[in-house]
Amino acid sequence: MSEGSARDVPVNGARRRGAGGSRGYLHGDGIFHRLDPRVKVTAAIVLLVAILGIDTWAGYAAMAGVLVFAAALGKIPGMRLVKAVQGVSFLLLFTVVINGFFTPGASLFHLGPVALTYQGLMRGLALGCRLALVVGAMTLLAATTKPLDLAHGLGWLFGPLRRFGLPVAELAMVTSIALRFVTVLGEEAKRIRIAQKARGIEIGDRPLSRATSLASIVVPLFAGALRHADELGMALEARGYRPGARRGRLYPLSVGLADLLCLVAAVAIAVVSWGWL
Amino acid sequence: MAKALTRAQSRWTLKELSAAGLFAALTAVGALVTIPLPYVPFTLQVLFTLLSGAVLGPRVGMLSQGVYVLMGAVGLPVFSGRGAGVQQLVGPTGGYLIGMVLAPWVVGRILRASASPGWGRSAAAMLLGLAVIHAAGVAVLSFHVGSLWGALTVDVVFVPVDLLKAAAALAIARGLEARGVAAAGEERG
């Protein structure tokens, strides 16, 4: 399981999903795609800090502008951002409604025992804006960074926490194994479904029949998956893999001028948003 | 010997780590498999969460669910309902995710306390694990809603379906136990 293997060859399934789906990695060749994952993860966290520092409407609009501009720069379709925010629309609505009704202030109108307050509505809208911006920033990171690289970048970033007993190397490794298994499981589930269709088991549309037919997929899937995991552990052991040990990468990472520029831009945005917006 | 080597380096063996990765992936896939039931979305997440405690034991089970939540927190699309990212962790339903990390520990501890857990102990372990998920969920939800009662009424909607999932987890765990499928879990004692 070398981490470098996914650097130039897309992870099995990642490209297919990225091209058609509305989330996850989007295969491409924009400037953000080529940046060092460690730099991208750091820059994304700096951006999150920046978003938390904004508390004016102009600031939210400016930050949204920055994200849209970044998406255009990185050749990420703007629709991707819209869809990501749409995905959390329930959470957004919840935030606005809950804050609107449970913040004390001048009431706008009564609904039974509770009242919608002006202060609450404003607070809910502001929190909703922040939430949408955070989703946008994370979407840009996820769309331009392969999952395995993302795991590596995060592992690097949280490396110092090992001193406090947090098993960072193990967490990063388990994450990359899990990412690999997601595609394997998906393919296996498809294979089993086809095999069962061939034997005359219909996956019906009615909820109950779907649930029972699902059981006939889950059990074999489970047995096969446990075997896979066992084999993987054995293979790793046989090759002398040790989590947390120093090792080389197939495709070494390097921080270049573009990476530095990206970091400087993120820090500048954070400074502006905390100081002026 | 290889085992001794890995033990010295890490608190986990490689088999434990790969099994944890598998369960993190299973939970992620389980969250994406949605069976459209009226009113309540039915996903398999909780099933795998409870099962991870039973199959992997408290420590490794907790690791697997921790990784699952971590994957979602950094923006990978592994949570149900299309949302992902840190906002889910601090959002109104974030408590359920925290409970999902704690539940395998409870389930694993109860099951591993006996050399051969019977139906009663297994059922109790699943129920308590489920209780942990819902307790953590309600705690955070009530903070967002502002009233414990309101949070409980929302939570109660999910209880019947989750009981079904716990029953399924119980059945699968017993089945694996009967077939002697010992995944890379901890020793019992």
Side-chain angles (χ1 to χ4, degrees):
Chain A
M1 215 36 238
S2 83
E3 291 169 90
S5 61
R7 198 116 170 88
D8 288 316
V9 188
V11 183
N12 198 11
R15 188 216 290 258
R16 255 175 290 144
R17 185 139 156 222
S22 62
R23 49 190 196 176
Y25 179 66
L26 188 73
H27 191 70
D29 193 30
I31 55 167
F32 294 125
H33 284 84
R34 289 191 295 261
L35 291 184
D36 187 312
R38 296 170 297 179
V39 170
K40 268 187 283 190
V41 170
T42 314
I45 289 172
V46 171
L47 270 191
L48 293 192
V49 173
I51 291 168
L52 292 181
I54 303 175
D55 49 11
T56 62
W57 299 112
Y60 295 131
M63 194 66 200
V66 166
L67 290 182
V68 170
F69 176 71
L73 207 63
K75 295 188 196 161
I76 301 293
M79 264 322 276
R80 178 58 76 100
L81 287 177
V82 176
K83 271 188 185 157
V85 174
Q86 244 173 28
V88 292
S89 52
F90 174 74
L91 201 60
L92 289 174
L93 195 70
F94 193 84
T95 307
V96 174
V97 169
I98 289 298
N99 277 286
F101 279 102
F102 289 95
T103 309
S107 63
L108 294 177
F109 72 87
H110 290 268
L111 191 81
V114 287
L116 181 71
T117 64
Y118 175 76
Q119 281 86 346
L121 192 64
M122 285 301 127
R123 199 176 138 211
L125 282 176
L127 282 176
C129 282
R130 276 190 195 175
L131 205 65
L133 289 174
V134 167
V135 172
M138 289 311 236
T139 305
L140 285 185
L141 176 67
T144 57
T145 317
K146 285 168 191 143
L148 275 179
D149 283 346
L150 201 58
H152 178 76
L154 282 166
W156 174 83
L157 193 69
F158 290 112
L161 290 178
R162 289 183 81 168
R163 283 178 200 218
F164 304 106
L166 202 75
V168 175
E170 284 86 352
L171 285 175
M173 186 211 175
V174 174
T175 308
S176 17
I177 292 179
L179 290 170
R180 200 34 83 80
F181 267 127
V182 169
T183 40
V184 169
L185 287 171
E187 264 152 35
E188 200 143 316
K190 207 186 291 166
R191 225 187 51 223
I192 293 174
R193 201 156 44 221
I194 291 169
Q196 279 168 343
K197 223 174 216 169
R199 287 164 182 77
I201 297 176
E202 273 304 322
I203 311 282
D205 288 327
R206 277 178 309 144
L208 193 70
S209 73
R210 267 193 85 167
T212 47
S213 56
L214 209 69
S216 64
I217 292 176
V218 168
V219 176
L221 187 64
F222 207 74
L226 278 173
R227 203 187 57 235
H228 264 302
D230 211 46
E231 282 170 1
L232 179 63
M234 233 183 306
L236 285 166
E237 219 160 76
R239 285 161 180 77
Y241 182 93
R242 275 173 297 154
R246 285 190 69 83
R247 68 204 147 99
R249 280 175 63 85
L250 184 55
Y251 300 92
L253 297 173
S254 61
V255 175
L257 184 64
D259 297 300
L260 284 178
L261 281 177
C262 172
L263 263 188
V264 168
V267 171
I269 291 169
V271 168
V272 170
S273 69
W274 276 88
W276 288 278
L277 293 174
Chain B
M1 212 192 75
K3 209 160 199 171
L5 261 178
T6 49
R7 269 272 152 80
Q9 269 287 324
S10 163
R11 276 173 287 165
W12 281 287
T13 66
L14 286 167
K15 277 193 186 177
E16 284 172 351
L17 289 179
S18 55
L22 167 68
F23 266 85
L26 277 172
T27 315
V29 172
L32 302 180
V33 177
T34 312
I35 304 165
L37 279 188
Y39 309 117
V40 202
F42 181 97
T43 63
L44 295 174
Q45 265 165 308
V46 175
L47 169 75
F48 290 119
T49 304
L50 296 175
L51 214 48
S52 75
V55 176
L56 303 178
R59 235 162 37 96
V60 185
M62 215 171 155
L63 175 71
S64 76
Q65 298 307 297
V67 165
Y68 164 70
V69 170
L70 213 67
M71 279 160 67
V74 299
L76 296 171
V78 295
F79 291 153
S80 64
R82 300 184 15 130
V86 263
Q87 70 275 6
Q88 293 278 351
L89 261 183
V90 294
T93 55
Y96 291 96
L97 294 173
I98 296 164
M100 284 176 65
V101 181
L102 302 177
W105 193 81
V106 173
V107 174
R109 277 306 286 266
I110 296 172
L111 287 175
R112 293 297 196 263
S114 153
S116 56
W119 276 100
R121 182 179 282 273
S122 305
M126 294 302 175
L127 283 179
L128 271 172
L130 197 60
V132 166
I133 297 176
H134 279 264
V138 167
V140 174
L141 193 62
S142 67
F143 176 74
H144 279 265
V145 178
S147 84
L148 184 62
W149 188 244
L152 275 174
T153 48
V154 175
D155 178 80
V156 113
V157 179
F158 293 90
V159 169
V161 181
D162 275 4
L163 281 175
L164 273 181
K165 284 180 239 178
L170 178 66
I172 296 178
R174 298 291 301 173
L176 289 172
E177 178 98 15
R179 284 187 194 85
V181 178
E186 290 126 285
E187 301 292 317
R188 298 178 174 223

